[in-house]
Amino acid sequence: MVIGENSRAGDMEVNPVRAKEASNVRTVNKDEKMYLSPPKRMSIEELIGYMNDDEVLEVTPKSVRLRKAELDSGARERAARSRKKQMKAAHQK
């Protein structure tokens, strides 16, 4: 499931269920309240144009969700490394 957009290239691993760690260090920014923008509702056509090669659409009667095809982040990294090796081997031939 997409939680937000990142300005940098690549994906950012986040765990929305895990609570933010509390520490004794106080800063000005930590004391401010965090405001989340409302979720952006997209149609199936918009999601198809938005998705990457490693993502799939889950369509149910009540919702449409965009998620990674491989949910395990370790397996995604291994697959990316193997694809990179295959591309490198193909270019050397």
Side-chain angles (χ1 to χ4, degrees), residues 1-76:
M1 175 174 25
V2 175
I3 295 176
E5 291 183 283
N6 187 8
S7 61
R8 298 180 185 159
D11 297 324
M12 180 185 299
E13 295 295 326
V14 295
N15 186 353
V17 179
R18 178 181 267 173
K20 187 175 179 181
E21 292 183 18
S23 66
N24 290 333
V25 178
R26 305 242 187 267
T27 64
V28 174
N29 293 336
K30 278 193 173 184
D31 293 336
E32 293 178 9
K33 290 184 179 179
M34 290 185 63
Y35 293 102
L36 297 176
S37 58
K40 184 177 180 181
R41 302 288 179 195
M42 299 174 84
S43 68
I44 293 175
E45 292 83 12
E46 290 172 327
L47 286 170
I48 289 172
Y50 185 80
M51 64 189 276
N52 290 329
D53 295 335
D54 62 342
E55 295 171 338
V56 295
L57 286 177
E58 287 183 346
V59 180
T60 64
K62 293 186 178 182
S63 65
V64 178
R65 289 184 288 274
L66 179 67
R67 70 168 182 87
K68 293 290 184 183
E70 179 61 51
L71 296 178
D72 183 25
S73 63
R76 280 198 307 267

